[in-house]
Amino acid sequence: MIVKLERIEVQSHRDMEMIDITAELETAVARGGLHNGIVLAMTTHTSSGLLVTEGVECLERDVLAHLERLAPKEPPAGAYHYWHNRCLDYDGRLGFNAGDHLKSILGGVSCFFPVENGKLVRGSRQRAYFVEYDGPLARTIVIQLLGDGA
Amino acid sequence: MIVKLERIEVQSHRDMEMIDITAELETAVARGGLHNGIVLAMTTHTSSGLLVTEGVECLERDVLAHLERLAPKEPPAGAYHYWHNRCLDYDGRLGFNAGDHLKSILGGVSCFFPVENGKLVRGSRQRAYFVEYDGPLARTIVIQLLGDGA
Amino acid sequence: MIVKLERIEVQSHRDMEMIDITAELETAVARGGLHNGIVLAMTTHTSSGLLVTEGVECLERDVLAHLERLAPKEPPAGAYHYWHNRCLDYDGRLGFNAGDHLKSILGGVSCFFPVENGKLVRGSRQRAYFVEYDGPLARTIVIQLLGDGA
């Protein structure tokens, strides 16, 4: 049985950004020698996420804009407030990214694809994305392989 | 170790529709001889999803109606627009289903159940659903088994 | 190969509540002797969920409040209604928790962490939460281990 784990680093360059990591998953599968099984990925950060959707630039903009509409960084004036934007964080900083944690929960923090004969099994339009909600930052993603070798 | 993959086809008959696939997961587990392990399922399409919820018809209607409220096919007039509904798609079609991709992201594209002694481990109310957001279409779901045989 | 399953019970004490179960996942990994692999968890109830986010009390309040804003127990007067809140449930009770099922779908019902050398691989801020949307109730979570022993 193959059980392998690797960490990759992704550098975001904007406050919010979608970064296609499909090739990184394919590389991990090849490097790890996984023939049949599953490749899972997870962000290690609570104001970022991983999700699977179609890989076109116009949709990337929609995903980020819509998650911002559903969980805005600044609540609409007078409508409600975030507690996390007021409490003194345990590490001495003021928390101010409640909306970004909420986006991470709505969009999800992990994804997976089955692997068959060494290839990711995914729909022709499906791409795996790392989603930055609170950048720019250097971020770590863990990629895990489970299954059988050749 | 058992590592098996199968594809099933689901035909949706409406624009938006919830289709219970719990029995298909049970059949895959039996057919694959999985005794203890996990069964995972994933849609291969970016305007559909998989999710787990209670299996009653009135709730199915609520799930579809509410996801349409949260990520409408047509944005409220004057409120915002989708870029994906305007850009020329790479395959020569006009994209027009941004709201359906967003529903897919919010509701999720995969699910899993543990398997114990050949049976799905799930709550008495839990059902696995394929969710069509942009039908009617013939859709492919991949089902993967990981674990041990009898 | 290690394939182990256990069930833990969580007692919620409020209508909506976030309960940190990270320690329970760590205990399951230690008890099961998993050295390298994955630990997955799933709620068995359709009006509760599991999710991963930062572990601070102010954010816990935001997560619950925001999911209630996105999928309220009572729809805004005149705006829309839930069918599940009107239909006669199959077990003779009136369904009245459509908003809580919707929260469960939005926040998710499962989570996982890779395990490396017997330790959960997770970001320093990441915690696994059971989320009660319709309590107080005694709830069952299944925890599954897949991978290799020492």
Side-chain angles (χ1 to χ4, degrees):
Chain A
M1 181 186 183
I2 285 180
V3 180
K4 289 194 178 171
L5 188 70
E6 62 173 87
R7 291 158 177 83
I8 64 168
E9 189 157 302
V10 173
Q11 175 68 51
S12 63
H13 294 92
R14 294 197 292 277
D15 178 28
M16 291 176 53
E17 184 177 0
M18 291 186 69
I19 298 174
D20 190 323
I21 61 163
T22 315
E24 280 76 5
L25 299 185
E26 289 169 341
T27 299
V29 166
R31 187 159 45 211
L34 183 66
H35 196 62
N36 289 303
I38 190 169
V39 53
L40 303 108
M42 184 189 77
T43 180
T44 63
H45 310 278
T46 57
S47 59
S48 67
L50 290 187
L51 57 82
V52 173
T53 194
E54 189 171 357
V56 285
E57 194 271 342
C58 54
L59 183 59
E60 294 174 5
R61 295 173 68 181
D62 284 326
V63 171
L64 297 175
H66 204 72
L67 287 172
E68 172 65 16
R69 282 188 284 268
L70 291 176
K73 288 171 183 277
E74 291 293 332
Y80 57 90
H81 68 88
Y82 295 133
W83 283 285
H84 186 53
N85 281 1
R86 296 182 173 189
C87 74
L88 191 62
D89 216 334
Y90 53 87
D91 57 4
R93 295 184 305 118
L94 268 174
F96 52 88
N97 58 354
D100 301 330
H101 293 303
L102 294 169
K103 290 177 186 83
S104 167
I105 290 170
L106 292 175
V109 298
S110 64
C111 71
F112 73 87
F113 289 111
V115 173
E116 186 179 45
N117 299 324
K119 302 281 187 193
L120 262 61
V121 177
R122 58 182 180 84
S124 58
R125 305 282 175 101
Q126 287 183 310
R127 307 294 298 183
Y129 278 100
F130 170 81
V131 194
E132 176 64 77
Y133 300 119
D134 189 24
L137 281 169
R139 301 293 209 170
T140 302
I141 298 166
V142 292
I143 301 176
Q144 188 167 47
L145 311 179
L146 292 172
D148 285 329
Chain B
M1 182 188 184
I2 285 181
V3 180
K4 290 193 178 172
L5 188 70
E6 61 173 89
R7 291 157 177 85
I8 63 169
E9 189 158 302
V10 173
Q11 174 69 50
S12 64
H13 293 92
R14 294 197 293 277
D15 179 28
M16 291 176 52
E17 183 177 0
M18 292 186 68
I19 298 175
D20 189 324
I21 60 163
T22 316
E24 280 76 6
L25 299 185
E26 289 169 340
T27 299
V29 167
R31 188 159 42 212
L34 184 66
H35 197 62
N36 289 302
I38 189 169
V39 53
L40 303 108
M42 183 190 77
T43 181
T44 63
H45 309 278
T46 57
S47 58
S48 66
L50 290 187
L51 57 82
V52 173
T53 193
E54 189 172 357
V56 286
E57 193 272 342
C58 52
L59 182 59
E60 294 174 5
R61 294 173 68 181
D62 284 326
V63 171
L64 296 176
H66 204 72
L67 287 172
E68 172 66 17
R69 283 188 283 268
L70 291 176
K73 288 171 184 275
E74 292 292 332
Y80 57 90
H81 68 88
Y82 295 133
W83 283 285
H84 187 53
N85 283 1
R86 295 181 174 191
C87 73
L88 191 63
D89 215 335
Y90 54 89
D91 57 4
R93 296 184 304 118
L94 269 173
F96 52 89
N97 57 354
D100 301 330
H101 293 303
L102 295 169
K103 290 177 186 83
S104 167
I105 290 170
L106 293 175
V109 299
S110 64
C111 70
F112 73 85
F113 290 111
V115 172
E116 187 180 45
N117 299 323
K119 302 281 188 193
L120 263 61
V121 177
R122 59 181 180 85
S124 57
R125 304 283 175 101
Q126 287 183 310
R127 307 294 298 183
Y129 277 100
F130 170 80
V131 195
E132 175 64 76
Y133 299 120
D134 190 23
L137 280 169
R139 301 292 210 172
T140 302
I141 299 166
V142 292
I143 301 177
Q144 187 166 48
L145 310 179
L146 292 172
D148 285 329
Chain C
M1 182 189 184
I2 285 180
V3 180
K4 289 193 178 172
L5 188 71
E6 63 173 86
R7 292 157 177 84
I8 64 169
E9 189 158 301
V10 173
Q11 174 69 50
S12 63
H13 293 93
R14 295 196 293 276
D15 178 29
M16 291 176 52
E17 185 176 358
M18 291 186 70
I19 298 175
D20 189 324
I21 60 163
T22 316
E24 280 76 6
L25 298 185
E26 289 169 339
T27 299
V29 167
R31 188 159 44 211
L34 183 66
H35 197 61
N36 288 304
I38 190 169
V39 54
L40 303 109
M42 183 190 77
T43 180
T44 63
H45 309 278
T46 57
S47 58
S48 66
L50 291 187
L51 56 83
V52 172
T53 194
E54 189 171 357
V56 286
E57 192 272 343
C58 52
L59 183 59
E60 294 174 5
R61 294 173 68 181
D62 284 326
V63 171
L64 297 176
H66 204 72
L67 287 173
E68 172 65 16
R69 283 188 283 268
L70 291 176
K73 289 173 182 276
E74 292 292 332
Y80 58 88
H81 69 88
Y82 295 133
W83 283 285
H84 187 53
N85 282 1
R86 295 181 173 190
C87 74
L88 191 62
D89 215 334
Y90 53 87
D91 57 2
R93 296 183 306 118
L94 268 174
F96 52 90
N97 58 352
D100 301 330
H101 292 304
L102 294 169
K103 290 177 186 82
S104 168
I105 290 170
L106 292 175
V109 298
S110 63
C111 70
F112 73 86
F113 289 111
V115 173
E116 187 179 45
N117 299 323
K119 302 281 187 193
L120 263 61
V121 177
R122 58 182 180 85
S124 58
R125 304 284 174 100
Q126 287 183 310
R127 307 293 298 183
Y129 278 100
F130 170 81
V131 194
E132 176 64 77
Y133 300 119
D134 189 24
L137 280 169
R139 300 292 208 172
T140 301
I141 298 166
V142 291
I143 302 176
Q144 187 166 47
L145 311 179
L146 293 172
D148 286 329

